[in-house]
Amino acid sequence: MVIQVMDKLAIPLMSPFASDREQLCQKLRSIAEETGETSHWNPGPFRLFREYGVFQWFTPKAYGGVEWNDSQILAGYVELAASCLTSTFVLTQRSAAVSRIVKGNNLNLKQRVLPNLSQGDIHATIGISHLTTSHQHHTKPALQARVDTDGLVVRGFSPWVTAAEHADWLVVAASMELEPEQQVMFAVPRQHAGVFVDPPVNLLALSSSRTGSVQFDDCRIPHDCIIDGPNDRIISGGGGKTGGLQTSALALGHAWQSLNFLSAQSQRRESLRPTVASLVSQWQALYQQLIELSADSEGLRLGANQLVMTTTQAAMIAAKGAGFVAGHPVGRWCREALFFLVWSCPQNVANAQLCDLTSAISPLPNHLPIRTTQ
C-alpha cells in the first residue's frame, strides 16, 4: 500500500515550484539526515533556498519577489518541513521578519532591505515571543522602549530569536516603558551599537537553528528603522501571530515524514494498514483546513499538534527497538515533535493538550487478565 497524499494535495498549490520541487526536497532530506543531531549551523539549506528561489515567495513583485499567496506559502512550508524541519523553521522566522517589513509603512526601509532579502543576499529573523507566549508571567516586560529625539532607546532582551548570530537584520518588538500596553516594532542591523547576541541555547532538538537571546543595552533605534507603532496592535497586525498557521504547517510537514515511514512499513505488515489509513485521513482533513486558511487557527494548531505527536510515536512503535537506537531517524522525529508543545503554543492549545493527556489515561480493559504473585 503506497500512500501519495502529498502529491495529490500539494502539487496544485505548488505549481510555480513544481518542476524543481522533488529535487530541492531530496537535497534537504540529505542535509537533515547529516545535521539533525548536531548543534552546528549549516548554511547548505539556505544556499538551496536561494538557488531555487524560495526566498522570493515572500516578497512583492515590486521588490523582486514572486508574491505567492498565503495558501501557496503554507503548502510550501508543509513540503519543506517534511524534508527538513530545522531549516524550514528557520525559514519561517525569516519570512515572519520579511512579512512585518512588507506590511509596515516604512517605505525607505522596504527599499533598503527587501530586494536583498528577496534574492537571499542577506538574512533576517524576528524576536517577538516575549510579547506572545514567553515571559508573560513576569510583571515587567522583557524588552522596553522609550521615545527619544532621534527615535527610540531600547533596553532589555528578546529571549527566543532564531539564527540571530547569522542575521543581518533583526525585526523586534518592544513594550513602551511608560505605557506597557503600547508596543513598537523596529528593524535593526545585528551589528548595531547596543545589540548583543547571546550564545544559542542547547535544545532537545533543532539546536542547529541556533536559537537564543538577544540583549539590547540602551540601543538607539533611529526613526528610519521603525516599522510600526507605538500602538496596541503590533502583534495582531501582521505575520508571526502566536498560534498562527505557519507553525501548524510545520507540524503537518513533520507528521508527513512519520506517515511516509509507516506507509512503507505497512507494505510488509498488514496490521499497520488500518492505523495508516486513519492517520492519513486525519492529515488530509487538517491539510485542507490549512490551505483554506482556517479562521480557527488555535483549533487547527491543536489538531496538528495531536497528529504530529501521534504519528511520530506510532512510527517509533512500528520501528521497534531499532527506532530507539541513537541515529535512527524515528528517534529524532520523536524529539523534534516535542518542539510543537512549546514553540509559539497558545495557552488555550496547551491547556487542551493537558486535558487530552489526562483523559487518555484509562483503566485496563476487563478482558485483560491481571496476574498476581502468591
Side-chain angles (χ1 to χ4, degrees):
M1 184 175 85
V2 180
I3 300 169
Q4 297 290 345
V5 178
M6 290 286 282
D7 287 343
K8 292 178 182 177
L9 293 178
I11 284 180
L13 288 172
M14 297 289 288
S15 54
F17 173 54
S19 60
D20 297 327
R21 166 184 140 272
E22 182 51 39
Q23 188 179 57
L24 170 58
C25 290
Q26 181 57 52
K27 291 178 180 179
L28 286 175
R29 284 192 289 272
S30 298
I31 290 173
E33 291 170 4
E34 294 172 2
T35 63
E37 304 289 349
T38 74
S39 60
H40 302 297
W41 174 258
N42 188 336
F46 304 95
R47 286 196 291 264
L48 289 173
F49 291 155
R50 179 177 181 175
E51 178 185 348
Y52 287 87
V54 173
F55 296 136
Q56 296 174 3
W57 297 0
F58 312 100
T59 47
K61 293 178 181 178
Y63 299 103
V66 295
E67 207 166 339
W68 276 21
N69 63 44
D70 290 342
S71 293
Q72 289 175 316
I73 289 172
L74 290 167
Y77 281 150
V78 171
E79 292 212 58
L80 294 178
S83 305
C84 181
L85 178 62
T86 301
S87 59
T88 311
F89 164 55
V90 178
L91 178 66
T92 64
Q93 303 307 287
R94 184 188 195 275
S95 66
V98 171
S99 175
R100 291 292 182 167
I101 296 172
V102 168
K103 293 179 180 180
N105 296 317
N106 191 329
L107 181 59
N108 289 334
L109 181 65
K110 293 179 185 183
Q111 294 173 336
R112 182 178 178 186
V113 302
L114 287 179
N116 288 329
L117 285 168
S118 179
Q119 297 305 311
D121 296 332
I122 60 175
H123 182 64
T125 191
I126 194 165
I128 61 172
S129 69
H130 50 285
L131 297 181
T132 57
T133 56
S134 178
H135 287 258
Q136 294 303 290
H137 58 288
H138 292 221
T139 56
K140 181 181 178 182
L143 189 63
Q144 294 182 300
R146 70 175 189 272
V147 176
D148 185 73
T149 53
D150 298 322
L152 302 169
V153 178
V154 181
R155 176 186 299 177
F157 70 103
S158 182
W160 298 103
V161 186
T162 297
E165 63 187 359
H166 299 282
D168 299 283
W169 286 83
L170 308 173
V171 172
V172 184
S175 300
M176 298 307 295
E177 190 174 280
L178 299 180
E179 298 179 275
E181 70 281 358
Q182 298 284 301
Q183 299 157 351
V184 64
M185 180 166 287
F186 55 89
V188 61
R190 173 177 53 84
Q191 296 182 325
H192 193 71
V195 177
F196 303 94
V197 178
D198 288 341
V201 179
N202 189 21
L203 303 172
L204 182 65
L206 284 79
S207 281
S208 58
S209 69
R210 307 294 285 173
T211 298
S213 298
V214 176
Q215 307 285 337
F216 294 83
D217 184 9
D218 286 337
C219 177
R220 295 186 175 276
I221 308 296
H223 288 291
D224 62 4
C225 285
I226 297 175
I227 298 172
D228 194 8
N231 60 54
D232 58 0
R233 303 180 303 278
I234 291 296
I235 296 305
S236 61
K241 179 184 176 183
T242 179
L245 300 179
Q246 296 88 348
T247 312
S248 295
L250 297 190
L252 290 178
H254 192 56
W256 176 251
Q257 291 189 97
S258 298
L259 280 175
N260 204 32
F261 174 83
L262 286 165
S263 175
Q265 293 293 311
S266 72
Q267 295 182 54
R268 302 187 301 272
R269 296 155 63 183
E270 189 172 349
S271 62
L272 289 174
R273 294 177 187 178
T275 298
V276 173
S278 175
L279 291 174
V280 167
S281 178
Q282 294 175 51
W283 190 94
Q284 288 176 316
L286 290 168
Y287 183 81
Q288 197 64 33
Q289 291 180 48
L290 177 76
I291 60 175
E292 290 176 356
L293 309 179
S294 172
D296 182 13
S297 61
E298 289 193 355
L300 178 58
R301 176 64 187 276
L302 177 60
N305 271 21
Q306 291 169 329
L307 185 64
V308 76
M309 297 302 296
T310 300
T311 54
T312 52
Q313 292 177 38
M316 176 63 78
I317 293 170
K320 301 184 178 180
F324 204 65
V325 176
H328 195 287
V330 169
R332 172 167 57 84
W333 298 343
C334 286
R335 290 199 314 278
E336 290 175 342
L338 297 173
F339 164 81
F340 297 101
L341 300 181
V342 297
W343 186 267
S344 190
C345 190
Q347 192 59 51
N348 290 340
V349 174
N351 292 341
Q353 288 205 264
L354 288 173
C355 290
D356 285 344
L357 289 173
T358 55
S359 64
I361 301 172
S362 59
L364 289 173
N366 292 332
H367 66 274
L368 291 180
I370 304 297
R371 296 184 179 182
T372 60
T373 57
Q374 300 296 326

